[in-house]
Amino acid sequence: MRVRFLVIGWLIGLLLMAGCSSGDESEETSTTFIAETTTTTEPPLDLQAHAESLLVGIESEGDFLGLDSPRSVSVGSGTGIVVDTEGLILTTATSVIGAERINVFVPGVEFPIAGELDSAAECVNLALVRLDHTFAAAADMADGSAPVGVASASRQTITTGTANTTVSGPSYVFRAGPAETAGAVLFDEDGAFVGMLTGFDTTGNALALRGENVVSWVKSMRQREVVEQLGFSAVDNTEGQPVVAAVAVGGPGASLGLGIGDVITTADGVALDGGINQLCDLIEDGEATLEVTHEGRRHIGVFPDQAIILASSRTTAQIRQAVVDVNTPFGGGTGFFISADGLLVTNYHVAGGRSEVSLRLDGSDEQTPARVIGTSACADLAVLQAEGGPYQYLEWAPSAPVLEEPIRVVGFPNFTESISFQEGRVTKETTDSPSWGGFLSNFESSAQVDGGNSGGPVVNEMGEVLGVVYAIREGNKEGIWESLHLFGVEARDEVSGIIDSTIFDPSFSTYEAGYAEPIFGSGLLVEEVAPGGPADAVGIRNGDIIAEFGDMDAWDGLNGLQGICEFAKDREPSSPIDVVVYRPDTASFWDGQLNGQALTEWPDDF
């Protein structure tokens, strides 16, 4: 509301004053001003009409990352706003970077107008597009007040709504509606541009770069101080890692060899969890070594000039240093490092139930202490942490084995002093009926496997872990022994669950086929209890016989370790499960709860 004051003065030349003498020429002359005030109210801003005069829709042609999440900024399309009547449009970099053609839809114009990328600032997801078209008005991009409205364009349709925002650093945070696209514009009550939607946070709230920051970037772009910082656009995944959305032809991203969907995981050794903003901070004013998940495999390159190359490939010498001899007081097997800081994978039956473990590298007599940090008896896997480092390590293969694929089994067969590489091929992609009761898939190979190979890696031609050795069995009437290996892709996920404590683990294994014959019938004979695990915590011992587990008992449904694993695998990892055990050495029964109440002995007269 504006108030207008009209001041009208009258000069009184003749004063009529009661009691004044007409002949008194010395009296002062008096002047009076009379003020009249009028108030006018301007109509409220018509946000819809205002947005239709300034916004355009953008749809680009080319290769872009396909997104179906409502929490992800749109890619290859979005909203633009006129910043110069001579045909300059501000939009998001994700809308136009990598486009073969930029189609600009102007309200009232029947067909789209082709635009050209003028300049870009991908680190803040902004770009300027120029087109051969003049506009009647351009946005007021001066500093404005708080946002009250938001407007988006989709082709020639303009959608407006209210915007309740909070300030978070350089951005406004607000809940976007379903119509808001990348480049959606925030207006204040006077229609001034005060922000542009450039992304979303991990909770789904929209992030709009505040107007004063946008103005600064636009100024730099118009002065050509910023042109293709990255040469690619990116969106952030839920882990805060930049995912390549599109790559500009001839830009640094193309020179680096990036592809759509690539995930940039580290920059100069720093793990990325702050998205594109963190990446830009790390590569600002210089080079940066990037680790990229490209086509499912880890690659390394140096931004902006050294193209990414495969990093997961390992030479025979590197594999030799990544595979170790695992020793315990009661036996051992083979293991392999999965990280430079000493995380190691082996079988549960090798080390899962052991409190004392040591490792020996090939060609060394030195024993390195290690401790079990997590297990999965159901997958026959254990994760250990070795002292010292750094260590050479292996990468997981990104896909399942393929029939006739060449492989090598690496380990210490028959507990030999020196490492062995046994060549073979995948002979069966999925084993029909594995001899062991866990729930990971198995495949078979023609490579020779002996005692001592358990827990060792099965590597493909690139030295990636395609599987984990865990068993051999007599395969046919001729007595040929089949080598059984856990699927690497499934073992990788199980290992991640062990490390993150997100999987159920009974933390005990059962003897061979898993059965015993106590006085009351069949049950499961406990062979290896993992120190510190749930079974150990409630008092289950080696030699105990599981008589009841959950709703299964020795008389009905307690079908080996596989039955236990199948029963519990979809439960919360720490949820209590009723358990009854029979203890042969004292001929006593005990009950309690795995992940809950400790075992207590039944009275003699039960």
Side-chain angles (χ1 to χ4, degrees):
M1 181 180 294
R2 293 178 178 144
V3 180
R4 186 169 54 212
F5 293 97
L6 301 179
V7 181
I8 304 174
W10 285 268
L11 178 62
I12 308 300
L14 179 62
L15 298 178
L16 300 178
M17 303 180 66
C20 291
S21 171
S22 61
D24 189 357
E25 298 293 335
S26 64
E27 285 291 331
E28 295 182 357
T29 303
S30 174
T31 305
T32 301
F33 292 91
I34 301 174
E36 178 185 336
T37 303
T38 57
T39 302
T40 62
T41 302
E42 294 184 351
L45 175 71
D46 184 342
L47 182 59
Q48 181 71 31
H50 185 64
E52 289 176 355
S53 70
L54 296 175
L55 300 190
V56 297
I58 293 178
E59 288 191 9
S60 297
E61 300 175 16
D63 293 327
F64 299 95
L65 180 69
L67 297 173
D68 56 7
S69 170
R71 296 183 176 183
S72 298
V73 66
S74 52
V75 176
S77 64
T79 298
I81 186 169
V82 180
V83 294
D84 190 311
T85 57
E86 295 302 312
L88 193 62
I89 305 297
L90 174 67
T91 187
T92 54
T94 49
S95 298
V96 294
I97 292 294
E100 297 173 3
R101 175 186 168 95
I102 302 172
N103 295 312
V104 180
F105 292 85
V106 179
V109 178
E110 184 176 1
F111 298 105
I113 302 170
E116 293 184 356
L117 180 64
D118 183 85
S119 56
E122 298 99 316
C123 285
V124 288
N125 198 17
L126 294 176
L128 290 175
V129 173
R130 188 170 294 279
L131 58 155
D132 186 15
H133 184 82
T134 58
F135 293 87
D140 175 8
M141 301 189 68
D143 291 344
S145 56
V148 297
V150 59
S152 289
S154 177
R155 286 182 173 261
Q156 293 182 338
T157 300
I158 308 298
T159 305
T160 60
T162 58
N164 297 316
T165 63
T166 57
V167 175
S168 177
S171 297
Y172 288 114
V173 181
F174 66 104
R175 175 61 61 179
E180 272 76 69
T181 60
V185 174
L186 296 179
F187 290 109
D188 70 5
E189 62 182 359
D190 293 323
F193 170 97
V194 291
M196 175 168 278
L197 193 159
T198 56
F200 289 83
D201 65 17
T202 56
T203 63
N205 290 318
L207 300 176
L209 191 64
R210 292 165 61 186
E212 57 267 32
N213 296 300
V214 175
V215 170
S216 176
W217 280 101
V218 168
K219 180 180 178 181
S220 296
M221 286 190 287
R222 296 193 72 171
Q223 294 174 350
R224 294 299 190 271
E225 294 175 5
V226 180
V227 180
E228 288 190 357
Q229 297 166 292
L230 303 177
F232 63 91
S233 64
V235 295
D236 299 339
N237 63 17
T238 55
E239 297 176 356
Q241 299 166 326
V243 181
V244 177
V247 180
V249 177
S255 298
L256 200 63
L258 295 179
I260 296 169
D262 287 357
V263 181
I264 304 174
T265 56
T266 69
D268 282 341
V270 178
L272 296 179
D273 56 13
I276 189 70
N277 291 332
Q278 183 188 12
L279 173 63
C280 289
D281 289 342
L282 291 169
I283 67 175
E284 185 177 13
D285 300 327
E287 295 182 341
T289 300
L290 304 183
E291 291 193 19
V292 181
T293 302
H294 175 75
E295 296 180 347
R297 289 184 164 93
R298 190 170 67 95
H299 288 65
I300 296 179
V302 180
F303 181 88
D305 299 319
Q306 183 178 319
I308 57 174
I309 59 173
L310 187 65
S312 59
S313 180
R314 296 291 189 270
T315 65
T316 297
Q318 290 172 324
I319 296 171
R320 182 186 295 271
Q321 290 302 305
V323 179
V324 298
D325 182 18
V326 180
N327 298 287
T328 77
F330 302 96
T334 301
F336 57 96
F337 288 111
I338 58 170
S339 71
D341 60 1
L343 283 179
L344 178 131
V345 172
T346 188
N347 285 145
Y348 184 98
H349 75 259
V350 170
R354 308 303 182 190
S355 57
E356 296 181 33
V357 184
S358 63
L359 314 172
R360 183 181 63 84
L361 290 170
D362 182 50
S364 173
D365 294 330
E366 182 179 352
Q367 295 286 336
T368 300
R371 59 186 176 86
V372 177
I373 65 169
T375 62
S376 172
C378 290
D380 196 15
L381 291 170
V383 180
L384 283 63
Q385 176 66 62
E387 294 184 2
Y391 294 99
Q392 183 62 251
Y393 64 95
L394 302 181
E395 306 265 357
W396 297 98
S399 56
V402 177
L403 192 64
E404 288 295 308
E405 181 177 359
I407 57 95
R408 288 182 290 173
V409 170
V410 188
F412 296 84
N414 298 315
F415 310 100
T416 56
E417 290 293 320
S418 300
I419 202 167
S420 172
F421 286 73
Q422 297 291 342
E423 296 185 351
R425 291 183 178 273
V426 176
T427 55
K428 197 161 195 174
E429 292 176 320
T430 304
T431 299
D432 295 328
S433 54
S435 59
W436 177 79
F439 54 69
L440 293 193
S441 301
N442 308 162
F443 69 96
E444 301 171 18
S445 80
S446 59
Q448 182 176 342
V449 169
D450 295 292
N453 277 121
S454 289
V458 181
V459 299
N460 60 18
E461 290 182 299
M462 298 173 63
E464 299 168 323
V465 180
L466 192 66
V468 181
V469 178
Y470 86 99
I472 53 176
R473 69 174 181 184
E474 189 172 355
N476 54 38
K477 294 180 181 179
E478 286 73 30
I480 296 176
W481 289 87
E482 297 173 339
S483 302
L484 302 180
H485 317 300
L486 305 175
F487 267 42
V489 288
E490 294 182 11
R492 173 198 62 199
D493 294 341
E494 192 75 5
V495 165
S496 294
I498 293 172
I499 295 170
D500 297 336
S501 300
T502 57
I503 62 166
F504 167 80
D505 176 32
S507 70
F508 63 83
S509 61
T510 56
Y511 181 72
E512 294 182 354
Y515 293 97
E517 294 293 338
I519 58 174
F520 58 87
S522 64
L524 302 182
L525 177 64
V526 175
E527 181 188 25
E528 299 282 359
V529 177
D536 184 41
V538 300
I540 296 176
R541 303 175 184 173
N542 292 344
D544 284 349
I545 296 172
I546 306 296
E548 296 181 18
F549 189 88
D551 60 1
M552 300 180 296
D553 59 39
W555 298 270
D556 181 24
L558 191 55
N559 182 26
L561 183 62
Q562 184 173 8
I564 288 178
C565 295
E566 290 294 335
F567 170 78
K569 73 176 182 178
D570 294 327
R571 300 171 68 96
E572 289 295 323
S574 59
S575 61
I577 300 176
D578 294 334
V579 61
V580 175
V581 305
Y582 174 71
R583 193 155 287 167
D585 58 350
T586 59
S588 59
F589 282 92
W590 300 67
D591 66 6
Q593 287 183 318
L594 203 69
N595 295 317
Q597 181 181 350
L599 295 181
T600 56
E601 187 176 4
W602 289 7
D604 293 337
D605 59 353
F606 76 91

